[in-house]
Amino acid sequence: MKTLSVIIPIYNEEGNIPRLYERLNGVVQQLGVDTEFVFINDGSRDRSIELIRGLASRDRNVRFIDFSRNFGHQIAVTAGLDHCTGKAAVIIDADLQDPPELILDLFAKWQEGYEVVYAKRRARQGEGFLKKLTARYFYRTLKKITSINIPVDTGDFRIIDRKIIEVLKQMPEQQKFLRGQISWIGFRQTYVEYDRDARHSGETGYTYKKMIRFALDGITSFSNLPLKFATLAGFFVSGVAFLLILYALYARFVTRDYVPGWTSLMLAVLFIGGVQLISLGVIGEYISRLSANIRNRPLYIVRDSNTESAGGETQ
């Protein structure tokens, strides 16, 4: 068994892989421990897999898993954790926004006995105001509406003990939200602060559409507040509708001060209909996740790999 595994999800990162590998090698030399690099090619359309194969041909510590198509960042990380052999594993993206040199501090904290050491961002370079703002408020809101303590200003960059990896393997959710799952597992957790750099090369694979989907996965996986909101909205609308009924009856039979027409009726119908559609949408999100887990399809399909356990099998 290796001492440390470095899990690296890859999606169109040909401009970053050589520099990332060089910096990771420098870190490993300083650590002086037996380390493996596990690259997961998540359906890249550029030359990423060719570069990774080249590294594997020169370095026996380079492992790779090549997906049959793009399955998503969280699934790629999950595949890496499924097939790594280290006593601990570091999760790091290939864009070099998270400095590989911080692994030295993460590893030192792990050696002190912490099962999870996550990297907490002090500053985020190279990202737009809107992305920073939405990320800031999303994680703070998620922390408030869930029953677990998900640390704010953190991503997936962290080191986790083999104990955590084995528990994650027993959590077969289709919609992965790893940072929430790791927080849910517990054990001793701490953090190391750092300043996040701008992307070294290429463009981010996290579009706003993917960010919204990722946010929905996080909320629906660890909070039932949307369902409670739908219930409370139903009670609120029913109360308003009841008051409108009383007012309509009073105006019709007591004051006889009313204007025949359909304006108030249409407003009430549209208002109630809108709340119903929102509620159905929220319920539908939860049901779709239940349906995906019931189907129990494989999380990912491996086209090729040089890991002993992944060799072209469906996982």
Side-chain angles (χ1 to χ4, degrees), residues 134-250:
T134 53
R136 175 181 176 85
Y137 284 102
F138 165 68
Y139 287 113
R140 280 157 178 78
T141 301
L142 184 62
K143 185 174 182 179
K144 288 182 179 179
I145 67 177
T146 58
S147 58
I148 58 174
N149 183 26
I150 300 177
V152 298
D153 299 324
T154 64
D156 291 313
F157 186 28
R158 62 190 64 201
I159 187 171
I160 58 177
D161 190 84
R162 170 55 59 177
K163 299 175 188 174
I164 305 293
I165 298 172
E166 294 303 322
V167 176
L168 286 173
K169 289 181 179 180
Q170 301 174 41
M171 301 174 72
E173 292 97 322
Q174 294 282 325
Q175 288 77 27
K176 292 290 186 180
F177 188 71
L178 289 171
R179 62 198 71 171
Q181 291 179 320
I182 292 171
S183 295
W184 180 87
I185 290 171
F187 289 108
R188 290 165 293 181
Q189 305 194 11
T190 188
Y191 65 90
V192 173
E193 289 189 312
Y194 76 109
D195 295 324
R196 198 177 198 210
D197 297 327
R199 167 176 273 272
H200 178 261
S201 177
E203 297 181 357
T204 179
Y206 260 109
T207 62
Y208 281 107
K209 180 180 179 180
K210 289 184 178 180
M211 289 172 61
I212 292 172
R213 173 54 55 184
F214 184 62
L216 286 173
D217 288 341
I219 293 171
T220 54
S221 296
F222 293 96
S223 175
N224 62 355
L225 184 65
L227 289 175
K228 291 181 179 179
F229 172 80
T231 302
L232 292 173
F235 279 113
F236 173 76
V237 171
S238 297
V240 172
F242 179 72
L243 293 175
L244 287 174
I245 290 171
L246 292 179
Y247 172 76
L249 292 173
Y250 177 79

Side-chain angles (χ1 to χ4, degrees), residues 49-83:
I49 187 60
E50 286 80 5
L51 294 175
I52 294 169
R53 290 180 190 277
L55 295 176
S57 67
R58 301 191 302 269
D59 186 347
R60 62 182 180 83
N61 293 317
V62 172
R63 305 282 186 265
F64 69 86
I65 299 171
D66 184 22
F67 283 173
S68 62
R69 63 170 177 83
N70 178 259
F71 284 90
H73 178 272
Q74 297 290 285
I75 302 301
V77 174
T78 299
L81 294 173
D82 286 344
H83 302 294

Side-chain angles (χ1 to χ4, degrees), residues 238-300:
S238 297
V240 172
F242 179 72
L243 293 175
L244 287 174
I245 290 171
L246 292 179
Y247 172 76
L249 292 173
Y250 177 79
R252 176 67 177 82
F253 296 107
V254 179
T255 65
R256 299 185 181 277
D257 181 19
Y258 67 97
V259 177
W262 52 268
T263 303
S264 59
L265 176 63
M266 291 301 297
L267 287 174
V269 169
L270 291 174
F271 177 60
I272 296 172
V275 173
Q276 288 177 332
L277 287 175
I278 293 173
S279 301
L280 287 173
V282 170
I283 296 170
E285 284 291 333
Y286 282 90
I287 292 176
S288 70
R289 282 154 175 74
L290 288 173
S291 175
N293 284 295
I294 290 172
R295 286 195 298 266
N296 198 29
R297 292 174 181 172
L299 285 177
Y300 52 87

